Amino acid sequence: MARSLTTYLDDLRDSRVWRSIFRSGPGQSNLHRALVVQSNVFLHLFSVKARKRVLDFSVTWYLGALTFGAFLILVITGVLLMLYYHPSVPLAYSDMKDLEFVVSSGVFLRNLHRWSAHAMVLLVFAHLAKVFYRGAYRPPREFNWVIGVVLLLLTLFLSYTGYLLPWDQLAFWAVTVGSNIASAVPLLGHHIRFLMLGGNLVNANALLRFYVLHCMILPLAAILFIAIHFWRIRKDGGLYAGAPTTTAEKEAER
Amino acid sequence: MSLGEQIRSLRRKLFGDPARAFGSISLVLLGMLAIAPAKNYFSEWGHYQKGYLKLIRSRADALTLARHFSPGFQQIWLPEMDVVDRCTTCHVALKEPSLSDVSRQPYRPHSPIPHSLTQFGCVVCHRGQGRATTVQEAHNSTKAWEHPMLPSRYLESSCGQCHLGPLLGTPQLNLGRQLIAGYGCVRCHTVMQPDGTRMMASDDPPSLQHIAEKTTRQWIYAWIKNPQAYAASVTMPNFQLSDHDARDISAFLMAQSTPLAAIHNQPAAKGASASPDATAGASLYGESFCASCHAVQNAAGVLVGGDLGPELTRIGSKVKPEWLEAWLRNPSVYDPNTKMPHYRFDPKQIATLAGYLEAKTDSDLLANVHLSEATPDQIQHGKLLVMEDGCTSCHEVNGIKKPENFAPDLSRVGSRSLAVLAFPEGVPHTLPDYIEAKVRNPRAFGPGLKMPQYTFSEQQRSAITTALLSLTDRAQTQPPALRTAAVHESNYQPAGKAGRLMADLRCFSCHAINGRGGDMAPDLSWEGSSVQRPWLVEFLRNPETLRPALIRRMPRFNLTPDEINTLTDYIMIVYQTPAVDRDSLPASSFTPDMVEKGRQLFYSKYACQSCHIVDPNKDKGYIGPALWAVGSRLNAAWVYAYLKNPPAMRPGTLEPDQHLSDAEARSLTAFLMAQKSAKQAGKK
Amino acid sequence: MSDDKDFVAGFDSNARKAPVRVAFVTRRTSPQVKVADEDQVMTHPGVFLRVAVAVELLTIALVTLALAWDAPLEGLADPMHTPNPAKAPWYFLGLQELLHYFPPVLAGVLIPTLVVLALIVIPYFNINIQAESLWARDGAKRLRIVVVVAVALSVFLAFFDVWVALVPTVIIAVVMFLAARSSSQSASAMRRWLYSKPLSFWIMTWFLAEAAVLTAVGTFFRGPGWSWVWPWRS
């Protein structure tokens, strides 16, 4: 049975339509496997081979992958939530109620989005600490570390802008407190807050601004930097597996 | 194969290599993702709807009920009122009177109300969270919803959000509003009503600018320590003053009082007051109908008399004799705004009545009050206390202004957020409980609080809470078209000599005319259309009650014939209704046949004798006015018009509208106009 | 090894006969392998499958969480009613906690800016890259500097009443002292490990500990008016 299933799958992979989409076609050879990676616009960001050592859990704790996983969950649930949300006062809050009481699985969607957001922030911090303690920021990977810091900031801003969207007391005052911190910047503080909120107070303008930031600008920026982050892994010599062991690496580290 | 080996082999099969692990975990993940949609299927509301279908299956009108039922979410959406009520998702049978025997919720039908259920939704009256579709969230208070369902005993408050005036069906709300006005709550607390007017107090706290003329420092001390010890019925609350504070306040009040020369200028009736005749005093008190407004505790401890004026049980311990005499001579000299009429007593009567009242003392009241001479420090401290305690919110005091916004604004107290309230120990965390506890014992909410202690009954507290709960955000913000305005008192003021006379006699304390005045006595706006002049003259000279069942009566003011003429002329000419032409039914238009026909209608067809008395020997009706002399009292045209449509002529009357034909009304009028006196009725 | 070259560099001029050559092996030997590159796997499916499994496990965990706990939702935003305390999202609570102690310019602007800059420049400093033990050279002198810095920092924190931040500072200072007293020959593996750590390790650990403690305090131990409360007593 399993055998025949594999055969069917191979037949499918060998079909004209499949091959027009995925150039690699069926096959188990290393060439084929390399082609799968190389001929895919998303996967080609990665190198076709990786050191065996990096597969060990203790090396990375898979924290980067998990962070990306949380991001994927957030994108999917976020897009679904956008279908039920109006970024206006007080509709935003009644949309929360509708999500809770009449949208099928609405509570689940919101919960998953919320908890995944917290998880992503936590994972990003953990990723940063792990990378630091393993020394994976060392040349030639120093610029990828900087991109990582940018991604950390983007994650925080994404979470912070999303915090306002339910327009409940929790959201309103958390953002008020946050924006007051921004206004402490010398000279420019109030201008920064004005720019941030689209006004002097947290109101409907701020909600709209945060909505656009949360759903358009920041996710696009995050996707861009994630792509660069992944691509740089390949360009900087693959996943860092520990102390350099090859000549090439030793040369690079010198 | 052993169990351990089996498990190992299974593990190898499922997680042996990354591909297998990926496959197995993907299946687990898919299963997990299916849980949330599955939960929708087992929703609470779905359970109740299924229960309803089961309930109606066995009933006779199952088909009709099933046709009315529609599955899925139900919603009443009223955007202009911000109502999204999904209550009917579970409460499916609200509009099914045939299920009136079902007592199980959520299937009970709604009791009949004057509004359509879809006109206002549910939460406008019941509160709770209309958007919610779970029992817990819809009915109770949660982090995201502070206003749980209103307990049914406060439900009348919801009517008060739109109906700003009293309603027949909301006695508790009406009482609460009366108490808030009558106990002067709104003198300290601002209450802006939804129609933009400020709620006004209806009590009458006396000015203290001349208090030393009226009473003694000892009495003031005893009074402010515990007003209820003087008279249980007083509205002044207990400020729970310490002995020192009461001493200083009394010292200050005496010190700030200015003399009032007019009181001393009148010559007292020499010698008459020397030996007051208790019997004569009691009968004068009775004849003057003082009890219509003032109450006195009888031997059994029961209050007898009206509540328009202060209780007089211990009046002798309170007032100074010379003040009392001056007051009885003309009350408006001391208090220009008093409701008490100016009786035209002669000096002897004054002495008799004053003597009778001065004898009403209570030796215990001031027995323990020993005050030494007030020091300037005490007076100064007393002034400070009077300012701090807000005494001038109610009373006028020389040198201290009425404070503005002395107490919190209550215009939206019915929607107050629980987050801003500090609950004392033992008070449940709901708004009604908070308000009730505050009214019961305000000082329990903190040591520095100024609100005094009132002595309300349980029922009064609930009524006040109900009235306060009606002051909601919704009431303030809803479309004005939904409001049913309260009737505001007009500022009608009769002019000229008669007007001055009516002001002196304080007619408006009891009678209403043209939208102004009290409700103790009949409305006189159309009195000129309804009565005959000779009767009115006689009535003003010597009033007698028209209704056998009434205790309260119009007092005799000892008017001069001149004054009576002035008043009568004015009433007969001015207080007319355009609906009645006084001369349209002259006596000549009635035939004996009509009188006889009218008698039959009176006694047989309409059985009027069950409420009215025409023949004092025979009839037993004590509810309506006696009619044995109605022929010499009322105008025929008025009687006819009244019989045709009683509520139109006297709004709120108990007289039923019998929808008489013109001929019947005419005959009845003829019969009634033939009743000239009790004797005449007896002879026939 | 002999000094004779195993091969000679050069190339044949006749490109048509022979392709470009980099080296001619002149003797009957093969190139000697000095360092073997380590084992490699194909990214597909070796890495991808494992990553997919990891992501799926995370998703299962989050889905379970989402089914079990509802996300918080409070009443409609009301600018008139300030909740007490008004708290920022949890990851900013460390910052908010700092604001409680320091003037806003310092806590709200200077510190976060410095933290971000410090994070960015980490890989550009050789001291971070060499990862040499802090005590490898001039151990005694460096210990003195560390003690001075730790005392100065503690006094500074105590001056601003930042007792909660003082705790991790003191703990880490003590551990550093222990590390300085160790050597690469210490009996316990733990002490050898501590000894080997470079300066950047200590700074980062101190920073992470402070961030964690301040965030935890801001999240769990702060009540009305930002006063101290015990989370289990409420």
Side-chain angles (χ1 to χ4, degrees):
Chain A
M1 178 69 200
R3 177 104 185 85
S4 58
L5 189 69
T6 327
T7 334
Y8 284 133
L9 279 177
D10 280 349
D11 285 354
L12 179 68
R13 289 207 189 95
D14 207 16
S15 68
R16 218 175 130 184
V17 178
W18 184 276
R19 292 197 67 132
S20 75
I21 305 170
F22 305 103
R23 296 261 167 222
S24 45
Q28 299 295 325
S29 66
N30 277 0
L31 172 67
H32 168 80
R33 286 170 170 166
L35 273 177
V36 167
V37 175
Q38 278 179 348
S39 61
N40 183 304
V41 67
F42 302 109
L43 300 184
H44 94 282
L45 288 174
F46 305 101
S47 53
V48 293
K49 284 184 177 177
R51 284 181 206 88
K52 204 171 180 191
R53 271 200 294 157
V54 299
L55 293 181
D56 285 352
F57 181 73
S58 64
V59 174
T60 59
W61 291 354
Y62 285 73
L63 283 169
L66 291 178
T67 311
F68 182 65
F71 182 75
L72 278 185
I73 298 174
L74 283 164
V75 169
I76 293 163
T77 52
V79 166
L80 289 176
L81 285 170
M82 276 170 80
L83 299 178
Y84 300 101
Y85 183 79
H86 304 78
S88 69
V89 178
L91 269 181
Y93 184 71
S94 29
D95 286 341
M96 292 303 114
K97 295 285 184 187
D98 286 357
L99 269 179
E100 186 175 353
F101 296 124
V102 288
V103 174
S104 297
S105 307
V107 193
F108 173 72
L109 268 185
R110 199 169 90 80
N111 292 350
L112 189 56
H113 194 74
R114 181 83 161 206
W115 300 138
S116 302
H118 287 323
M120 184 171 165
V121 174
L122 269 176
L123 287 167
V124 164
F125 274 116
H127 184 40
L128 175 130
K130 180 76 183 164
V131 167
F132 175 84
Y133 283 123
R134 294 200 58 255
Y137 57 83
R138 292 193 194 115
R141 298 188 174 83
E142 64 264 60
F143 187 66
N144 217 11
W145 165 269
V146 174
I147 289 174
V149 174
V150 171
L151 280 170
L152 164 75
L153 295 179
L154 280 175
T155 306
L156 290 180
F157 284 136
L158 267 169
S159 180
Y160 181 66
T161 49
Y163 218 81
L164 181 67
L165 302 189
W167 201 247
D168 64 341
Q169 278 285 79
L170 203 64
F172 182 88
W173 289 101
V175 169
T176 303
V177 169
S179 66
N180 286 344
I181 296 178
S183 68
V185 175
L187 302 175
L188 291 175
H190 289 279
H191 298 282
I192 292 177
R193 192 174 64 173
F194 193 91
L195 186 70
M196 201 169 125
L197 300 179
N200 287 317
L201 289 169
V202 180
N203 55 19
N205 290 349
L207 180 63
L208 187 61
R209 193 159 287 215
F210 274 45
Y211 174 75
V212 174
L213 281 170
H214 185 75
C215 301
M216 279 298 296
I217 300 172
L218 293 175
L220 287 181
I223 288 169
L224 181 70
F225 278 95
I226 288 172
I228 299 173
H229 201 57
F230 286 170
W231 179 72
R232 285 300 295 236
I233 298 173
R234 169 154 72 96
K235 287 288 151 186
D236 294 345
L239 283 174
Y240 182 75
T245 49
T246 64
T247 330
E249 278 202 18
K250 274 189 173 161
E251 304 246 313
E253 308 272 325
R254 203 157 287 147
Chain B
M1 233 193 303
S2 77
L3 188 67
E5 269 175 60
Q6 270 178 356
I7 291 174
R8 266 195 296 281
S9 117
L10 189 66
R11 208 168 64 187
R12 262 200 307 281
K13 232 178 224 162
L14 293 180
F15 303 102
D17 61 79
R20 281 171 193 273
F22 177 68
S24 321
I25 292 172
S26 295
L27 285 177
V28 176
L29 176 61
L30 282 177
M32 294 293 292
L33 287 175
I35 292 177
K39 268 167 94 177
N40 291 334
Y41 181 77
F42 296 102
S43 64
E44 250 176 18
W45 60 267
H47 166 76
Y48 287 123
Q49 290 193 348
K50 281 171 214 150
Y52 179 67
L53 290 175
K54 216 153 105 191
L55 175 85
I56 60 173
R57 202 180 299 147
S58 55
R59 298 184 70 95
D61 52 351
L63 276 179
T64 322
L65 290 172
R67 204 166 51 239
H68 292 174
F69 172 79
S70 39
F73 285 120
Q74 305 297 312
Q75 172 172 287
I76 298 171
W77 183 44
L78 307 166
E80 76 279 8
M81 293 178 70
D82 190 24
V83 164
V84 182
D85 281 359
R86 300 179 177 132
C87 315
T88 45
T89 304
C90 296
H91 295 274
V92 281
L94 289 182
K95 288 198 253 183
E96 302 292 356
S98 76
L99 290 175
S100 57
D101 57 308
V102 175
S103 62
R104 184 156 60 95
Q105 286 290 32
Y107 308 128
R108 214 184 291 165
H110 202 285
S111 52
I113 47 165
H115 296 296
S116 150
L117 286 177
T118 41
Q119 189 183 4
F120 294 114
C122 309
V123 297
V124 169
C125 296
H126 291 276
R127 302 202 185 184
Q129 187 173 188
R131 288 176 182 274
T133 52
T134 62
V135 174
Q136 170 71 16
E137 292 275 343
H139 299 87
N140 300 344
S141 169
T142 64
K143 264 206 129 170
W145 194 260
E146 287 198 318
H147 302 293
M149 297 261 307
L150 200 59
S152 53
R153 63 197 179 111
Y154 303 118
L155 207 50
E156 285 176 18
S157 73
S158 301
C159 311
Q161 296 179 108
C162 300
H163 297 275
L164 306 184
L167 286 174
L168 270 179
T170 61
Q172 190 171 327
L173 173 69
N174 304 348
L175 173 66
R177 283 172 168 166
Q178 271 171 26
L179 289 168
I180 289 172
Y183 276 77
C185 307
V186 288
R187 290 186 187 275
C188 289
H189 297 280
T190 304
V191 174
M192 296 302 291
Q193 289 166 312
D195 60 1
T197 60
R198 198 180 157 150
M199 194 168 173
M200 300 307 286
S202 66
D203 60 342
D204 186 20
S207 159
L208 306 181
Q209 286 167 308
H210 313 297
I211 185 72
E213 303 284 358
K214 182 178 179 180
T215 184
T216 61
R217 189 179 160 207
Q218 281 71 19
W219 182 83
I220 294 179
Y221 176 89
W223 165 257
I224 59 180
K225 280 284 287 178
N226 183 4
Q228 276 67 35
Y230 170 73
S233 65
V234 298
T235 57
M236 167 113 167
N238 189 335
F239 284 80
Q240 300 180 327
L241 299 167
S242 69
D243 290 356
H244 273 84
D245 288 353
R247 178 195 69 194
D248 296 352
I249 290 176
S250 64
F252 166 70
L253 288 178
M254 293 308 278
Q256 60 84 41
S257 171
T258 54
L260 200 61
I263 288 180
H264 308 283
N265 285 349
Q266 303 280 338
K270 293 271 169 351
S273 59
S275 57
D277 180 349
T279 331
S283 69
L284 185 55
Y285 185 87
E287 279 168 22
S288 307
F289 295 113
C290 302
S292 290
C293 297
H294 296 283
V296 170
Q297 233 173 34
N298 65 13
V302 180
L303 275 181
V304 180
D307 59 359
L308 206 58
E311 185 187 331
L312 300 179
T313 311
R314 299 179 181 85
I315 187 71
S317 301
K318 175 183 178 183
V319 298
K320 295 180 173 172
E322 59 272 23
W323 178 89
L324 184 55
E325 284 182 19
W327 176 265
L328 289 173
R329 198 175 300 121
N330 187 358
S332 60
V333 168
Y334 181 78
D335 180 3
N337 299 321
T338 182
K339 285 183 184 167
M340 172 134 160
H342 175 199
Y343 285 78
R344 273 80 171 142
F345 290 128
D346 62 33
K348 188 163 179 296
Q349 284 176 312
I350 291 175
T352 310
L353 199 50
Y356 170 74
L357 290 174
E358 277 159 30
K360 292 183 174 300
T361 57
D362 182 347
S363 54
D364 294 344
L365 190 66
L366 305 177
N368 295 321
V369 182
H370 305 290
L371 295 169
S372 49
E373 195 67 29
T375 67
D377 277 356
Q378 289 176 2
I379 293 172
Q380 198 54 39
H381 183 231
K383 182 173 185 176
L384 197 71
L385 288 170
V386 166
M387 284 195 279
E388 277 178 357
D389 287 339
C391 304
T392 49
S393 291
C394 298
H395 301 282
E396 283 172 56
V397 174
N398 290 312
I400 303 179
K401 276 200 193 125
K402 178 174 160 50
E404 292 291 321
N405 301 326
F406 187 72
D409 188 308
L410 299 182
S411 307
R412 294 186 177 212
V413 68
S415 295
R416 195 159 283 182
S417 161
L418 297 191
V420 301
L421 301 179
F423 284 85
E425 199 108 335
V427 175
H429 279 232
T430 75
L431 188 61
D433 284 307
Y434 177 89
I435 295 177
E436 235 188 291
K438 187 96 184 177
V439 174
R440 185 190 305 120
N441 187 2
R443 299 285 171 100
F445 283 67
L449 295 178
K450 289 175 181 163
M451 178 157 159
Q453 178 71 52
Y454 287 85
T455 42
F456 292 124
S457 69
E458 173 97 43
Q459 186 211 358
Q460 286 176 317
R461 276 199 301 269
S462 292
I464 292 173
T465 309
T466 304
L468 288 176
L469 283 171
S470 75
L471 303 167
T472 57
D473 285 343
R474 187 186 290 285
Q476 296 280 355
T477 55
Q478 69 191 353
L482 289 173
R483 263 179 233 136
T484 313
V487 180
H488 290 290
E489 187 159 75
S490 75
N491 55 0
Y492 168 71
Q493 184 66 55
K497 197 173 161 194
R500 282 197 299 281
L501 192 55
M502 284 166 77
D504 195 39
L505 294 173
R506 300 290 196 267
C507 299
F508 293 99
S509 291
C510 301
H511 293 281
I513 305 175
N514 294 340
R516 178 192 158 208
D519 58 358
M520 188 201 281
D523 188 308
L524 300 182
S525 306
W526 297 336
E527 188 71 2
S529 295
S530 69
V531 299
Q532 300 177 18
R533 194 175 190 284
W535 175 85
L536 185 56
V537 170
E538 186 53 33
F539 183 77
L540 288 173
R541 182 175 299 135
N542 189 13
E544 56 175 315
T545 185
L546 298 172
R547 290 164 200 261
L550 285 188
I551 309 163
R552 284 175 185 164
R553 297 178 193 188
M554 167 104 161
R556 197 163 77 189
F557 296 111
N558 308 312
L559 299 172
T560 64
D562 217 26
E563 288 174 328
I564 290 177
N565 259 332
T566 308
L567 264 184
T568 316
D569 285 348
Y570 191 84
I571 291 172
M572 294 305 294
I573 292 167
V574 176
Y575 297 143
Q576 301 253 6
T577 166
V580 173
D581 177 3
R582 282 182 62 89
D583 305 323
S584 61
L585 280 179
S588 55
S589 63
F590 301 128
T591 63
D593 274 2
M594 287 166 71
V595 174
E596 200 42 49
K597 182 87 196 305
R599 173 188 302 282
Q600 281 165 19
L601 288 172
F602 187 91
Y603 281 110
S604 307
K605 184 163 181 189
Y606 295 114
C608 309
Q609 73 277 18
S610 39
C611 294
H612 295 284
I613 299 172
V614 162
D615 183 348
N617 304 323
K618 210 167 74 187
D619 304 337
K620 295 280 187 283
Y622 285 102
I623 294 171
L627 299 179
W628 57 68
V630 66
S632 34
R633 176 163 69 92
L634 293 181
N635 174 274
W638 166 271
V639 172
Y640 174 79
Y642 182 72
L643 287 172
K644 286 289 285 180
N645 188 356
M649 307 312 284
R650 284 221 179 281
T653 182
L654 290 178
E655 179 94 24
D657 185 356
Q658 307 274 23
H659 301 289
L660 303 178
S661 71
D662 290 2
E664 283 181 328
R666 208 174 288 270
S667 301
L668 259 178
T669 308
F671 168 69
L672 290 173
M673 292 314 288
Q675 310 305 317
K676 296 291 186 191
S677 74
K679 275 182 198 162
Q680 195 185 17
K683 268 183 207 160
K684 270 196 179 172
Chain C
M1 291 273 158
S2 80
D3 283 330
D4 298 336
K5 284 204 167 100
D6 294 337
F7 58 86
V8 283
F11 58 90
D12 193 321
S13 57
N14 188 351
R16 216 178 267 177
K17 275 188 180 169
V20 173
R21 290 180 196 132
V22 203
F24 297 102
V25 179
T26 53
R27 296 186 199 166
R28 305 193 114 219
T29 56
S30 56
Q32 189 182 16
V33 175
K34 288 186 174 169
V35 180
D37 200 2
E38 56 185 293
D39 284 350
Q40 298 212 322
V41 291
M42 297 303 289
T43 307
H44 170 79
V47 180
F48 288 159
L49 269 182
R50 284 180 165 80
V51 165
V53 168
V55 169
E56 278 184 340
L57 287 174
L58 173 77
T59 312
I60 287 173
L62 289 173
V63 165
T64 312
L65 202 63
L67 288 170
W69 275 290
D70 280 350
L73 183 70
E74 293 187 357
L76 177 65
D78 182 355
M80 307 310 289
H81 291 151
T82 315
N84 195 355
K87 287 191 176 182
W90 65 266
Y91 37 84
F92 286 155
L93 284 181
L95 217 56
Q96 206 181 345
E97 176 73 16
L98 280 181
L99 275 170
H100 173 61
Y101 303 110
F102 301 113
V105 179
L106 179 63
V109 183
L110 224 52
I111 293 180
T113 314
L114 284 178
V115 166
V116 170
L117 284 179
L119 283 177
I120 288 176
V121 301
I122 282 176
Y124 295 99
F125 279 87
N126 279 337
I127 189 169
N128 293 332
I129 295 160
Q130 281 155 4
E132 191 186 43
S133 165
L134 180 58
W135 322 106
R137 273 176 286 172
D138 290 339
K141 187 179 156 199
R142 288 184 176 184
L143 181 61
R144 277 200 297 279
I145 297 175
V146 164
V147 167
V148 168
V149 168
V151 168
L153 196 59
S154 300
V155 168
F156 172 78
L157 292 175
F159 180 76
F160 281 98
D161 288 335
V162 200
W163 305 109
V164 290
L166 196 59
V167 176
T169 307
V170 169
I171 292 176
I172 286 176
V174 169
V175 177
M176 281 178 89
F177 189 77
L178 188 69
R181 293 278 152 190
S182 314
S183 75
S184 49
Q185 275 81 45
S186 290
S188 109
M190 177 75 178
R191 295 189 68 167
R192 286 202 299 278
W193 182 77
L194 280 178
Y195 174 80
S196 70
K197 290 296 147 193
L199 178 64
S200 58
F201 169 89
W202 294 111
I203 295 179
M204 187 64 151
T205 307
W206 174 78
F207 165 73
L208 287 179
E210 290 290 8
V213 166
L214 287 173
T215 304
V217 167
T219 310
F220 299 113
F221 294 86
R222 290 301 181 178
W226 213 251
S227 61
W228 187 272
V229 292
W230 300 105
W232 51 89
R233 252 192 259 158
S234 63

